[in-house]
Amino acid sequence: MFKKNILKNLSFKTKLFISMEIIFLTLILMTCFLFSKNAIKTARKSEQASANMVLERVSTQINSLYEQMNIAATYITKNPALKSIVLELNSSDNNEPEEQFYQLQQERTIHTALGNMMFSPIISNVHLYNQEKQYFYYSGFYYDDLDYIQKALSSDTAAEELNDKNILYLPPMTNRWTPEDRKVISVQRSFSDTDATKNTIVEVQVSFQRIEDICTQDAFHGEKEFLILDSQGNIVYPLTNTKVVSSKVINSICQKIKKGETTHWEYDYSYSSEKSPSTKFTTVLISNNQTMRQQTILYIVTTIITALIVFSVTLAITYLLITRVTNPLKQLIEHINELRLDSDIQFLLPSDTFNEFDILNTSLNKMVKKLKASIKENYELQIRESNANLAALQAQIDPHFLYNALNSISAASEIYDSEVTTQMCQKLSSMMRYVTSKKSSVTFIEEISHTKNFLDFMKISYDSNFNYELTIPQEIHNLVIPKLSIQPFVENSFRHGFKNTLPPWHLSINCTVTDQNWKIQIIDNGEGFSKEALTEIASSPVNATNLEINGLGLNNTFSRLALLLGKNFSYQIENLSPGSCITLKGVFK
């Protein structure tokens, strides 16, 4: 309700301005929202595309690294001279492993075949060994602890793992042939041509640093990182904890990949993965989306600033346009507010005004002319009707005054002396002269003098059963009111108020003046007004036509008062305990 009252009190210009700004603000917010949403979506797609490109490149490089090791291992296993030597070694019945180990170590054919693989700069070691026959050949980094090699050889399970396979791709791990902490990746193949050679293993190793170089990107800036998962979904790279996301997120990523979810994106992190069909390793590029979050914030801030700037400019432009459009309307409203029916001045809008306002102004001027003519005609009708009502009222009141006055004089002549009778005759003469005069408006003191004469007559008639009181300040004496507008209220008290009430009866007329306001109260201690009379009196006094001086005929008096005193006049009728009170209020003109 309070908001409705505020909106109701706003000017047309303000309402129009607010309405247009709400529309513009809605459009701006919708545009900015769609732009931000599209920009963030585009940035996300670009980020995912870039991540997929990096992932594909790194995955290809890792596959290529393993493929080069596989080619080297395959070349060794396909070397005819080496295959012949391996067959001979595996068929030998020499039961002295150490002597056999040192003897076979001198075989130049084996060293030559293994050494030929060291032409590739990526290969760090090449091994040829057989756990069952207890021989071990190598080329590359020097192993000085042969006892450690013997122990590692005795626990090697490569032959068993290659039983159903031709090749094994080993993830990053510590080189098991040396006690040094040397990280490598490996490819293992067996001489699987015959049963006699299938347990002989060729292992090609590459330094772990190769994987580090491939997976470490300077452009990541601590935001992205690569994971390598083996065929079982276990993390084999990096060998330490990840840095860009928490271990909880890493576990969640591994679970999603096991379920077949190759890509995933959310506000806190995202990943893309690619599984190698040859190695069965899964390369995963994870991101904490730091750049994406910064871009999102930047888009939102930029959008807000842009929206504020556009909205501010729109405010200014809209205000200027509305001011330009509504200025003629404002002038027209000011003219209407200052318009007086007694003035013939017509308002003319500037020549550059919109046609609609010009049409409105022309129509207004025409309406004012017609209104003046109509008001003039109506005013004349009201004057004639008021005069007719007053004449009818006077004609109706005359017999009452006459009869009551004669009865009172007759009674007084029997009781009092001739002096009282003379005074009563003089008052009657004054009353008849006042009632029959042609004036329609009188001063308040004139109406009170007439009313006092009437009260004196009634006091003589009822003797000690009736008394009255008048409080009339000097400031209200010259108030102009319709003739016979107070005396009918007093007479109504006698005709109806005191009719069914036991004496003593009392009536008072109290007048008060405050600044420019005046108030008149007629109070009696009679039986008051009936509900029907109160309802009819309050309904439409201006349209009343009943001229009888009773509870309902008072409408005519109220109507004449309202017609003369204007919109500032008001009245109120209420019952007291006992009696009634008629209150008249108005403002001095």
Side-chain angles (χ1 to χ4, degrees):
M1 183 63 70
F2 178 71
K3 292 182 178 180
K4 289 183 179 179
N5 291 333
I6 292 178
L7 293 175
K8 185 178 180 180
N9 294 330
L10 294 178
S11 63
F12 170 75
K13 177 181 176 180
T14 305
K15 290 179 181 178
L16 181 61
F17 179 73
I18 293 175
S19 300
M20 293 186 65
E21 286 311 313
I22 290 175
I23 294 173
F24 286 137
L25 180 61
T26 303
L27 293 176
I28 290 171
L29 291 178
M30 289 179 62
T31 303
C32 292
F33 172 76
L34 293 176
F35 171 78
S36 298
K37 184 177 180 181
N38 184 64
I40 294 172
K41 185 178 180 180
T42 302
R44 176 182 166 184
K45 287 184 177 179
S46 176
E47 178 71 15
Q48 288 179 331
S50 176
N52 290 335
M53 290 177 59
V54 174
L55 174 66
E56 183 179 1
R57 183 176 72 249
V58 170
S59 180
T60 300
Q61 290 176 354
I62 294 174
N63 289 337
S64 176
L65 183 62
Y66 275 101
E67 185 61 26
Q68 292 181 59
M69 290 189 290
N70 180 36
I71 291 173
T74 302
Y75 180 80
I76 293 174
T77 58
K78 299 300 181 182
N79 188 314
L82 190 58
K83 287 170 64 176
S84 177
I85 293 173
V86 168
L87 181 61
E88 181 181 348
L89 289 172
N90 293 348
S91 300
S92 173
D93 294 330
N94 191 347
N95 296 322
E96 297 180 358
E98 293 185 1
E99 182 180 350
Q100 178 182 347
F101 181 84
Y102 290 112
Q103 179 183 356
L104 293 175
Q105 194 176 25
Q106 305 301 319
E107 292 292 338
R108 292 186 177 275
T109 304
I110 296 176
H111 283 290
T112 300
L114 299 181
N116 288 339
M117 295 299 100
M118 299 307 297
F119 74 90
S120 175
I122 67 169
I123 297 176
S124 60
N125 286 84
V126 181
H127 307 133
L128 185 147
Y129 64 90
N130 189 306
Q131 181 193 38
E132 181 182 356
K133 296 300 180 179
Q134 289 290 299
Y135 61 81
F136 182 89
Y137 297 95
Y138 74 96
S139 179
F141 286 107
Y142 179 68
Y143 296 139
D144 57 357
D145 193 342
L146 298 179
D147 291 335
Y148 189 86
I149 292 176
Q150 285 295 330
K151 291 179 181 179
L153 183 63
S154 63
S155 60
D156 185 71
T157 60
E160 297 176 5
E161 294 178 5
L162 282 168
N163 190 28
D164 299 327
K165 302 177 183 178
N166 190 34
I167 185 171
L168 280 178
Y169 297 96
L170 302 180
M173 63 178 63
T174 302
N175 189 352
R176 65 186 182 281
W177 305 113
T178 176
E180 299 176 6
D181 186 16
R182 188 184 300 170
K183 303 293 189 304
V184 295
I185 59 174
S186 307
V187 171
Q188 294 179 338
R189 292 189 70 94
S190 65
F191 286 81
S192 57
D193 292 347
T194 63
D195 291 338
T197 60
K198 69 177 182 178
N199 289 333
T200 300
I201 308 300
V202 174
E203 180 181 11
V204 179
Q205 291 184 341
V206 171
S207 174
F208 175 74
Q209 188 62 40
R210 294 288 179 179
I211 292 291
E212 283 280 7
D213 293 342
I214 293 173
C215 294
T216 302
Q217 304 283 327
D218 294 335
F220 286 173
H221 301 297
E223 181 182 348
K224 294 181 175 63
E225 190 173 6
F226 277 102
L227 295 179
I228 298 178
L229 308 180
D230 62 14
S231 58
Q232 304 300 320
N234 301 316
I235 299 175
V236 295
Y237 176 87
L239 301 178
T240 58
N241 293 332
T242 56
K243 300 176 181 179
V244 298
V245 294
S246 65
S247 57
K248 182 179 180 180
V249 173
I250 292 296
N251 293 334
S252 176
I253 291 174
C254 292
Q255 293 298 323
K256 286 181 171 62
I257 292 176
K258 286 180 180 180
K259 294 177 181 179
E261 191 174 344
T262 58
T263 60
H264 180 79
W265 190 96
E266 58 184 68
Y267 188 74
D268 293 328
Y269 74 92
S270 62
Y271 73 83
S272 298
S273 64
E274 183 174 334
K275 188 173 184 178
S276 171
S278 56
T279 65
K280 306 303 180 184
F281 294 160
T282 301
T283 306
V284 185
L285 177 59
I286 59 174
S287 173
N288 56 21
N289 291 340
Q290 180 179 349
T291 301
M292 205 45 217
R293 287 196 295 272
Q294 292 175 349
Q295 288 181 342
T296 301
I297 295 173
L298 179 61
Y299 286 139
I300 294 174
V301 172
T302 303
T303 300
I304 292 174
I305 294 175
T306 303
L308 290 175
I309 293 174
V310 173
F311 185 63
S312 300
V313 173
T314 305
L315 277 176
I317 295 175
T318 304
Y319 181 79
L320 292 176
L321 288 176
I322 291 178
T323 302
R324 170 72 177 84
V325 171
T326 59
N327 188 53
L329 181 60
K330 178 182 177 183
Q331 296 177 3
L332 192 59
I333 292 173
E334 290 177 352
H335 171 67
I336 294 173
N337 291 333
E338 297 176 358
L339 185 64
R340 293 181 356 192
L341 295 178
D342 58 349
S343 174
D344 294 330
I345 299 176
Q346 293 188 353
F347 180 65
L348 298 177
L349 290 172
S351 58
D352 58 345
T353 304
F354 295 96
N355 291 336
E356 289 78 3
F357 290 120
D358 189 50
I359 294 172
L360 181 61
N361 181 49
T362 303
S363 300
L364 176 65
N365 290 331
K366 291 180 179 179
M367 183 190 70
V368 170
K369 288 182 179 179
K370 293 180 179 179
L371 184 61
K372 285 181 179 180
S374 177
I375 290 176
K376 183 178 180 181
E377 181 180 354
N378 186 58
Y379 182 69
E380 291 175 352
L381 288 174
Q382 285 185 345
I383 291 175
R384 288 196 293 270
E385 182 181 359
S386 178
N387 291 335
N389 290 342
L390 179 59
L393 184 64
Q394 289 178 265
Q396 185 181 23
I397 289 176
D398 287 350
H400 293 297
F401 278 125
L402 184 58
Y403 301 151
N404 292 337
L406 292 176
N407 288 334
S408 298
I409 293 172
S410 176
S413 63
E414 296 179 359
I415 301 172
Y416 305 105
D417 55 18
S418 60
E419 183 178 351
V420 174
T421 305
T422 301
Q423 291 177 359
M424 294 183 67
C425 289
Q426 290 175 350
K427 290 183 181 292
L428 175 59
S429 175
S430 298
M431 292 170 63
M432 295 303 296
R433 187 180 300 110
Y434 180 81
V435 171
T436 57
S437 67
K438 295 183 179 180
K439 291 194 301 182
S440 60
S441 299
V442 296
T443 61
F444 182 74
I445 193 61
E446 290 177 318
E447 179 68 19
I448 287 297
S449 297
H450 170 69
T451 303
K452 186 175 181 300
N453 289 334
F454 176 80
L455 289 171
D456 287 337
F457 263 98
M458 303 314 292
K459 185 172 177 59
I460 294 173
S461 299
Y462 295 108
D463 195 13
S464 61
N465 290 329
F466 170 71
N467 63 80
Y468 68 90
E469 180 183 359
L470 301 179
T471 304
I472 314 296
Q474 181 71 30
E475 293 83 359
I476 202 172
H477 283 190
N478 294 324
L479 175 66
V480 178
I481 60 175
K483 187 173 67 173
L484 296 176
S485 56
I486 301 299
Q487 186 268 340
F489 297 130
V490 174
E491 186 176 356
N492 186 74
S493 295
F494 285 95
R495 293 180 60 84
H496 297 281
F498 300 149
K499 185 176 182 180
N500 298 318
T501 304
L502 295 176
W505 304 312
H506 179 77
L507 187 143
S508 64
I509 300 177
N510 301 320
C511 302
T512 56
V513 177
T514 305
D515 294 332
Q516 294 297 314
N517 299 315
W518 55 264
K519 181 171 71 173
I520 303 169
Q521 287 185 310
I522 300 96
I523 304 173
D524 64 39
N525 63 346
E527 65 175 341
F529 292 88
S530 65
K531 291 183 179 180
E532 294 78 7
L534 287 175
T535 302
E536 188 167 345
I537 290 172
S539 60
S540 55
V542 177
N543 297 325
T545 57
N546 190 353
L547 303 182
E548 182 182 354
I549 303 302
N550 53 35
L552 302 181
L554 296 181
N555 278 335
N556 180 264
T557 305
F558 289 127
S559 177
R560 292 188 297 113
L561 283 166
L563 184 63
L564 179 64
L565 298 177
K567 62 180 181 180
N568 291 322
F569 170 73
S570 63
Y571 67 91
Q572 181 181 2
I573 300 177
E574 57 183 333
N575 286 328
L576 306 176
S577 296
S580 63
C581 176
I582 298 175
T583 302
L584 310 177
K585 293 181 181 180
V587 177
F588 289 107
K589 293 185 179 180

